[in-house]
């Protein structure tokens, strides 16, 4: 990696990126990933199948496609997600015979996954410290034996990551509930849980309310705490179109992100040849980390003072405005300015854009949710929109940018630790089972239960739980204590190396691959960020003859764990239409599912606020006031954790982060130049970052960056060691990954 240079610091691989988002850099990156992962494989045609009417849904992000009907929509990072899955590299039995687990443990996360696709079921052999191939029958029998022996079904954790299809996820929750638990830690618990928990209280639904068409009608768009250039690149075309229409796009983000500043579409030949890129943000406010609520309160205070409220809407559709007004009145500008790091003038310009627009969309991502006050942040955004009736009219609404491509769908079909009674009754009536009524564990609770020995088994339907969670030391130890760890994966990762008494790795098909079952080729369904449900059909050859589909693996485990199960698992695996019939019976919103999902583009689930229907206890939308006590003393430096351009969560495609000017390394801390001066540090210094509780990230290099004062940023998962497991939003359980109080000193 980078060497140190005494004179100008440890700055190898650090530069200033001057280009736009997209552009030739994006095309070059696509060519590179195709070359590295797919060699000359004929399956490079996979890229042409992505997001086509008859193709598969991009496993990259959850941004919708123009109706999934015609346009050729893919992006650089979608191409990386597909080539990473469709790679020609394999980890076969020979690979595992060559490398012990102790050796693999020393590999980087990048190298582990880059080794290639899993091809056979594996079991860890503690005698030799190797993973060894076993048959599917033996794998299921071994898992079933441990699961049947548990004294309590609640001692098993059913983790779900967000790539699983609706069909796989529905079978998975059926398995867990017939088994007897609602323990569904899932990636959503680390992601948009503040949305899932916060929005139902505000507007009666825990999802976004806008569609792509709304972006064509909006008069103003706010983008708070998300980085579309990297994490939802297809959104850049939508933002560029709005910008060309002259719609103001107001950004609030501590970091200047190129993907929010300007964009050159790699799919527009004329744009590529012209020297000009489309500007995106009309105003860029570098809010201090964790300062969003103060900023939002500032805007709302001005809206209320100007009496620019939609009085008719408020009277007919809402409750709670008085408490919100009282809170805003009691909130001082001094607190707003110091907490947000923005001047009153800047906030006035934001309020003006907001008040001058009839139809406003607010988009937000992890910069809002992953804080101790994540739920309060989300509800403050809802408050802002409610003040001017920005729900239930075209061109307006709230737009949480969901994470994984089907994380929203997984939730919709039952992956939740807090199911409703109505849902359980329908599930029980459909399958003749008796689901448990006790709430289950979310992700933090699952790790605590494993750490404390209350939970003894972990099944993972995708994902890399122990690496994605805070406090790796605690999480690693927790998994290693288990009786059983089952990993249903496309690729090997660090969580599988945390061997339990019995450790199984079960290779599954990815989204891009042809899924043949007894009745022929199957398709699956997914739900995007805008509640569109559509079909996804894999086309590529399976990476090996033994690899099975996720529904087949879930059914195999269920049968082994419950030999007397009341569910006809084989029938559902033979024909996924049978699974969809089950989904339809449990969730009436999916009526006529098998027919409607075969229509081009699929269908949209009902989002009640679109019709100004509020499924809250009062039947009204709720303003929810969040009085905050001003903190005493100097404010600590806050560190946020972010994704690089070449990573997908814990999957590290390469060590580059093009738009932030970082090449070949990830050991950096982005800092504001003035802060560095005040700390007596220089661009390129090697530092240690520590927390009060003694956590430390050592030997990283500080890099000056356009980031708000008092704010630092480092990459996830490297910086997860700084986050304690106990540090989360008490309302939603979302870990506070984005506001870690730290100190920073030159390394000894
Ligand atoms: N290529 C790619 N695509 C992805 C993913 C990926 O890893 N790679 N991950 C997927 C998943 S699971 C998710 S959840 C999404 C994540 O998508 P994003 O939400 O965009 O993800 P992050 O990189 O975590 O950070 C978002 C932004 O929040 C800003 N931020 C940090 N702290 C604060 C704050 O306190 N306030 C404000 N206003 N902003 C802040 C950061 O500067 C950064 O620009 O993307 C999905 N899509
Ligand atoms: N510090 C910090 N920590 C964070 C975050 C942060 O912003 N900062 N973000 C959080 C967020 S938003 C999320 S969503 C979580 C992500 O947490 P996870 O969802 O658990 O993690 P991923 O890295 O997405 O999972 C990668 C693994 O999924 C497997 N996989 C890929 N495709 C498939 C498939 O089609 N099927 C199956 N069965 N397996 C597949 C591969 O084997 C791969 O190793 O991390 C969280 N952790
Ligand atoms: Mo996420």
């Amino acid at each position: 990696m980078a060497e140190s240079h005494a004179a100008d610091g440890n700055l190898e691989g650090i530069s200033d990126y001057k280009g736009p988002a997209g552009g030739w850099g994006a095309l070059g990156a696509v060519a590179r990933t195709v070359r590295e992962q797919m060699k000359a494989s004929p399956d490079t045609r996979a890229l042409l199948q992505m997001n086509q009417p008859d193709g598969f849904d991009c496993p990259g992000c959850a941004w919708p496609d123009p109706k999934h009907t015609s346009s050729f929509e893919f992006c650089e990072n979608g191409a990386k997600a597909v080539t990473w899955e469709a790679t020609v590299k394999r980890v076969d039995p020979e690979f595992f015979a060559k490398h012990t687990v102790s050796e693999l443990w020393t590999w980087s996360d990048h190298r582990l996954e880059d080794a290639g696709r899993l091809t056979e079921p594996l079991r860890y052999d503690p005698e030799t410290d190797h993973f060894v191939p076993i048959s599917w029958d033996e794998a299921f029998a071994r898992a079933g034996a441990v699961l049947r022996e548990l004294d309590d079904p609640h001692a098993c954790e059913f983790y779900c990551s967000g790539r699983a299809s609706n069909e796989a996820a529905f079978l998975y929750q059926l398995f867990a509930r017939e088994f007897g638990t609602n323990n569904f830690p899932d990636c959503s618990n680390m992601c948009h849980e503040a949305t899932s928990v916060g929005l139902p209280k505000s507007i009666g639904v825990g999802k976004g309310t806008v569609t792509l068409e709304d972006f064509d009608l909006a008069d103003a768009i706010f983008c708070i705490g998300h980085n579309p250039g990297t994490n939802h690149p297809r959104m850049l075309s939508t933002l560029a179109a709005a910008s060309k229409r002259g719609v103001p796009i107001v950004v609030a983000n501590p970091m200047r992100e190129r993907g929010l500043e300007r964009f050159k579409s790699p799919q527009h030949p004329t744009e590529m040849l012209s020297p000009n890129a489309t500007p995106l943000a009309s105003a860029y406010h570098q809010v201090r980390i964790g300062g969003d609520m103060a900023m939002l309160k500032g805007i709302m205070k001005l809206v209320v003072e100007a009496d620019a409220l939609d009085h008719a809407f408020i009277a007919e559709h809402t409750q709670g405005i008085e408490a919100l007004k009282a809170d805003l009145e009691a909130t001082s500008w001094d607190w707003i300015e110091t907490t947000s790091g923005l001047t009153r003038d800047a906030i006035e310009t934001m309020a003006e854009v907001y008040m001058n627009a009839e139809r406003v969309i607010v988009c937000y991502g992890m910069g809002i949710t992953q804080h101790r006050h994540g739920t309060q942040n989300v509800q403050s955004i809802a408050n802002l929109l409610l003040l001017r009736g920005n729900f239930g009219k075209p061109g307006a609404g709230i737009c949480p940018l969901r994470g994984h491509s089907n994380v929203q769908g997984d939730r919709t079909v039952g992956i939740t630790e807090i199911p409703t009674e109505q849902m359980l009754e329908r599930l029980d009536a459909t399958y003749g089972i008796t689901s448990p009524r006790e709430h289950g564990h979310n992700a933090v609770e699952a790790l605590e239960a494993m750490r404390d020995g209350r939970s003894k088994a972990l099944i993972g339907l995708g994902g890399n739980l122990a690496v994605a969670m805070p406090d790796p030391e605690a999480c690693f130890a927790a998994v290693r204590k288990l009786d059983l760890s089952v990993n249903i994966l496309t690729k090997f990762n660090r969580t599988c190396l945390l061997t339990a008494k019995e450790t199984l790795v079960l290779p599954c098909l990815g989204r891009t691959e042809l899924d043949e079952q007894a009745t022929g080729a199957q398709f699956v369904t997914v739900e995007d960020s805008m509640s569109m449900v559509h079909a996804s059909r894999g086309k590529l050859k399976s990476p090996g003859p033994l690899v099975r589909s996720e529904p087949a693996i879930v059914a195999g485990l269920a049968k082994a764990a419950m030999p007397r199960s009341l569910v006809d698992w084989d029938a559902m695996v033979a024909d996924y239409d049978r699974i969809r019939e089950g989904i339809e019976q449990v969730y009436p919103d999916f009526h006529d599912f098998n027919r409607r999902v075969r229509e081009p583009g699929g269908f949209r689930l009902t989002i009640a606020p679109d019709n100004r229907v509020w499924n809250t206890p009062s039947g009204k939308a709720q303003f929810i006031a969040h009085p905050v006590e001003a903190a005493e003393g100097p404010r600590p430096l806050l560190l946020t954790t972010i994704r690089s351009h070449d990573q997908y969560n814990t999957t590290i495609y390469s060590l580059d982060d093009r738009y932030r000017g970082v090449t070949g390394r990830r050991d950096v801390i982005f800092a504001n130049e003035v802060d560095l001066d005040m700390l007596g540090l220089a661009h390129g210094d090697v530092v240690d970052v520590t927390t009060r509780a003694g956590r430390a990230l050592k030997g990283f290099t500080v890099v000056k960056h356009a980031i708000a004062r008092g704010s630092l940023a480092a990459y996830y998962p490297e910086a997860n060691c700084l986050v304690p497991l106990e540090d989360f939003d008490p309302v939603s359980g979302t870990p506070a990954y984005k506001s870690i109080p730290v100190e920073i000193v030159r390394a000894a």
Side-chain angles (χ1 to χ4, degrees):
M1 196 168 288
E3 304 159 30
S4 122
H5 303 283
D8 47 354
N10 180 22
L11 287 171
E12 190 160 321
I14 303 298
S15 63
D16 216 2
Y17 178 75
K18 299 227 163 30
W24 293 105
L27 286 186
V30 171
R32 206 156 42 245
T33 185
V34 168
R35 199 164 57 235
E36 282 168 13
Q37 296 300 325
M38 307 187 59
K39 309 273 165 21
S41 159
D43 282 344
T44 43
R45 72 192 151 86
L47 291 173
L48 306 174
Q49 296 280 347
M50 186 152 59
N51 296 333
Q52 294 303 291
D54 204 28
F56 57 85
D57 182 64
C58 178
C61 74
W63 185 257
D65 290 293
K67 295 211 143 186
H68 248 262
T69 45
S70 60
S71 83
F72 177 59
E73 277 256 308
F74 82 89
C75 68
E76 173 191 346
N77 280 353
K80 285 178 204 152
V82 168
T83 52
W84 195 252
E85 181 171 298
T87 179
V88 294
K89 303 179 190 180
R90 299 284 178 267
V91 285
D92 48 19
E94 227 171 279
F95 172 90
F96 289 106
K98 197 147 91 201
H99 305 288
T100 61
V101 164
S102 314
E103 183 205 335
L104 292 173
W105 183 258
T106 64
W107 289 22
S108 68
D109 292 327
H110 165 71
R111 192 171 167 206
L112 279 176
E113 278 207 38
D114 191 38
R117 287 288 296 274
L118 292 157
T119 59
E120 292 193 39
L122 303 165
R123 171 180 90 81
Y124 177 64
D125 178 3
E127 306 255 299
T128 61
D129 192 31
H130 281 277
F131 271 99
V132 292
I134 54 171
S135 70
W136 278 102
D137 284 347
E138 188 185 349
F140 291 143
R142 281 179 174 270
V146 182
L147 291 171
R148 288 196 307 273
E149 281 298 302
L150 293 178
D151 341 315
D152 178 1
H154 301 301
C156 185
E157 303 291 345
F158 289 80
Y159 178 63
C160 187
S161 173
R163 276 205 193 173
S165 61
N166 289 336
E167 288 72 10
F170 182 76
L171 285 192
Y172 195 53
Q173 63 83 37
L174 180 58
F175 168 19
R177 293 197 165 111
E178 187 178 19
F179 187 70
T181 183
N182 287 310
N183 284 347
F184 289 110
D186 78 321
C187 71
S188 191
N189 293 143
M190 300 174 240
C191 182
H192 264 292
E193 192 67 3
T195 300
S196 304
V197 169
L199 280 188
K201 294 184 184 131
S202 294
I203 58 168
V205 63
K207 301 181 182 184
T209 65
V210 296
T211 64
L212 267 188
E213 291 71 47
D214 286 318
F215 280 84
D216 298 335
L217 301 169
D219 302 323
I221 297 169
F222 284 70
C223 291
I224 311 182
H226 69 101
N227 183 19
T230 290
N231 297 320
H232 344 273
R234 284 177 294 116
M235 183 188 194
L236 297 187
S237 314
T238 306
L239 291 177
S243 160
K244 284 178 183 157
R245 276 199 301 121
V247 173
I249 298 173
V250 179
V251 170
N253 193 313
M255 300 184 86
R256 282 219 155 243
E257 303 283 26
R258 186 51 41 89
L260 286 160
E261 294 181 317
R262 50 186 196 275
F263 173 54
K264 203 180 244 203
S265 171
Q267 299 181 36
H268 278 251
T270 42
E271 201 167 295
M272 289 295 280
L273 295 173
S274 106
N276 304 321
T278 309
L280 299 176
S282 55
Y284 207 116
H285 301 279
Q286 289 188 265
V287 61
R288 198 191 284 270
I289 287 173
D292 301 275
M293 208 186 2
M295 171 189 84
L296 291 162
K297 282 193 182 190
I299 302 174
M300 289 192 278
K301 199 173 162 74
L302 294 163
V303 174
V304 170
E305 278 168 17
D307 195 25
L309 309 176
D310 183 339
H311 290 287
F313 174 85
I314 292 172
E316 188 182 343
H317 290 289
T318 71
Q319 273 191 351
I321 182 89
E322 292 313 323
L324 179 70
K325 279 184 175 168
D327 175 46
L328 294 173
E329 204 167 319
T331 305
S332 73
W333 276 106
D334 184 40
W335 178 79
I336 291 172
E337 289 189 313
T338 46
T339 309
S340 70
L342 301 175
T343 61
R344 180 171 174 164
D345 284 352
I347 295 176
E348 276 174 359
T349 66
M350 300 173 102
E352 263 158 41
V353 173
Y354 181 65
M355 291 188 281
N356 285 334
E358 260 319 291
R359 303 148 189 269
V360 179
I361 295 175
V362 180
C363 310
Y364 67 93
M366 297 297 101
I368 282 291
T369 59
Q370 294 175 331
H371 295 279
R372 248 151 274 125
H373 51 274
T375 304
Q376 302 184 3
N377 278 345
V378 169
Q379 293 177 338
S380 300
I381 292 177
N383 288 342
L384 174 66
L385 287 166
L386 286 169
L387 284 179
R388 288 180 48 81
N390 276 307
F391 285 105
K393 66 183 177 191
I398 195 161
C399 180
L401 289 145
R402 298 306 290 234
H404 271 293
S405 51
N406 197 41
V407 60
Q408 185 163 318
D410 292 344
R411 260 299 155 83
T412 303
V413 301
I415 302 295
T416 170
E417 70 282 6
I418 42 175
T420 63
E421 178 57 27
Q422 192 193 24
M423 179 255 154
L424 295 178
E425 275 169 19
R426 286 178 161 274
L427 187 70
D428 290 358
T430 304
Y431 293 101
I433 63 172
T434 309
S435 299
R437 264 42 186 183
E438 310 81 324
H439 285 174
H441 294 150
N442 65 18
V444 169
E445 290 161 350
L447 261 308
E448 287 170 346
M450 284 156 49
R451 177 194 64 194
D452 302 344
R454 284 175 283 126
S455 283
K456 301 197 177 324
L458 168 68
I459 305 178
L461 180 56
N464 193 2
L465 176 64
V467 179
M469 286 291 285
D471 197 345
E473 285 313 308
C475 292
F476 293 177
V479 179
R480 287 187 163 125
K481 271 173 75 169
L482 295 173
D483 291 344
L484 174 69
S485 155
V486 180
N487 305 272
I488 305 168
L489 295 174
T490 51
K491 293 220 175 162
F492 207 67
N493 64 34
R494 193 167 303 283
T495 299
C496 335
L497 294 173
L498 300 165
T499 53
K501 280 199 196 103
E502 181 77 82
T503 309
L504 302 166
V505 178
L506 307 179
C508 68
L509 293 173
R511 188 82 61 78
T512 55
E513 285 138 7
L514 187 65
D515 181 356
E516 285 278 2
Q517 301 296 341
T519 62
Q522 306 296 313
F523 67 88
V524 293
T525 63
V526 294
E527 175 185 338
D528 65 32
S529 258
M530 297 185 184
S531 305
M532 293 295 304
V533 178
H534 52 77
S536 172
R537 292 178 175 81
K539 296 282 159 83
L540 305 188
K541 227 172 64 227
S542 162
L546 294 175
V547 176
R548 292 196 179 173
S549 80
E550 288 178 334
I553 297 171
V554 171
L557 288 169
K559 283 173 28 180
M562 303 177 293
R564 283 183 296 280
S565 170
L566 300 171
V567 174
D568 188 350
W569 298 97
D570 292 339
M572 289 199 281
V573 173
D575 182 353
Y576 294 178
D577 275 1
R578 301 288 88 76
I579 308 178
R580 285 184 284 271
E581 283 164 6
I583 294 177
E584 172 173 347
Q585 284 186 46
V586 180
Y587 299 97
D589 214 13
F590 283 85
H591 62 88
D592 216 2
F593 191 6
N594 277 311
R595 184 189 62 77
R596 286 198 295 159
V597 82
R598 284 177 164 85
E599 283 172 8
F603 59 91
R604 185 156 188 253
L605 295 171
T606 313
I607 297 295
D610 289 354
N611 303 313
R612 298 199 163 170
V613 171
W614 317 100
N615 292 324
T616 57
S618 66
K620 302 265 185 192
Q622 298 288 326
F623 286 103
I624 304 176
H626 292 295
V628 181
E629 285 193 26
E632 299 284 314
R635 45 193 56 249
L637 269 175
L638 291 178
L639 179 134
T640 193
T641 57
I642 50 170
R643 293 159 167 78
S644 77
H645 194 58
D646 276 12
Q647 96 183 62
Y648 195 94
N649 298 340
T650 68
T651 295
I652 312 300
Y653 300 129
S654 92
L655 304 184
D656 301 347
D657 190 9
R658 191 168 74 245
Y659 299 151
R660 299 194 187 104
V662 178
T663 309
R665 58 191 297 187
R666 293 173 56 86
D667 59 341
V668 293
I669 307 284
F670 299 101
N672 179 291
E673 199 171 5
V674 181
D675 288 338
L676 285 183
D677 264 358
M678 289 180 55
L679 291 161
L681 293 170
H683 182 48
D685 276 355
V686 178
V687 296
D688 294 340
V689 181
T690 53
T691 72
R692 225 188 238 160
R695 294 171 182 279
L697 186 65
K698 294 197 166 169
F700 273 47
T701 296
V702 277
V703 170
K704 74 168 191 270
H705 197 80
I707 185 169
R709 290 288 312 279
S711 304
L712 302 170
Y715 296 121
Y716 137 61
E718 284 81 352
N720 287 31
C721 58
L722 294 172
V723 190
L725 203 49
E726 298 73 33
D727 198 0
F728 53 81
D729 168 15
V731 186
S732 71
T734 314
Y737 296 119
K738 286 215 172 14
S739 38
I740 314 167
V742 294
E743 281 170 23
I744 173 171
V745 291
R746 190 175 287 109

